Amino acid sequence: MAEAFIRTAMRADLDAVKHLLAETWHATYDPLIGAEKVGEITGRWHSREALESRLSAPNSEFLVADTGSGIAGMAFASQNGREITLHQLYVAPAHQGEGVGTKL
């Protein structure tokens, strides 16, 4: 188990983040709605274009948990006035229970 460090996401991370999101969604939702439907949803919601738009979204932060050999988790939050909304917080199934989500 590699210790993950938290940093701001970069364009170079987007393919790994896309993979992380698909892997996490499949692990969670395949038994409920089927792999084909999950693939359709993640393909649309977690496209490279959708992820790239988060990199430059105003008043927001897009973070990754980097193990040095891969991305163990990601988080995206935005601020509107005094309110901060956590839109996404995902941890790869292989890294769940290691404190990655808490760090993010």
Side-chain angles (χ1 to χ4, degrees):
M1 159 176 61
E3 183 73 19
F5 64 96
I6 308 305
R7 62 173 175 78
T8 300
M10 302 179 293
R11 276 187 179 76
D13 298 319
L14 295 182
D15 288 337
V17 170
K18 185 177 185 323
H19 175 78
L20 165 84
L21 291 168
E23 177 186 20
T24 305
W25 269 68
H26 279 291
T28 304
Y29 295 109
D30 279 6
L32 301 172
I33 61 174
E36 186 175 331
K37 186 67 174 175
V38 171
E40 176 188 318
I41 291 168
T42 60
R44 189 173 61 249
W45 289 359
H46 307 137
S47 69
R48 186 171 172 93
E49 296 78 21
L51 295 174
E52 193 158 340
S53 71
R54 291 176 177 93
L55 291 173
S56 59
N59 303 316
S60 67
E61 189 64 49
F62 185 171
L63 302 173
V64 293
D66 188 333
T67 66
S69 62
I71 301 299
M74 64 80 65
F76 177 71
S78 66
Q79 183 175 4
N80 183 5
R82 294 179 56 174
E83 181 178 296
I84 296 173
T85 302
L86 178 62
H87 300 280
Q88 294 178 297
L89 176 62
Y90 289 93
V91 176
H95 293 281
Q96 291 175 3
E98 297 176 2
V100 173
T102 299
K103 286 182 179 182
L104 285 164

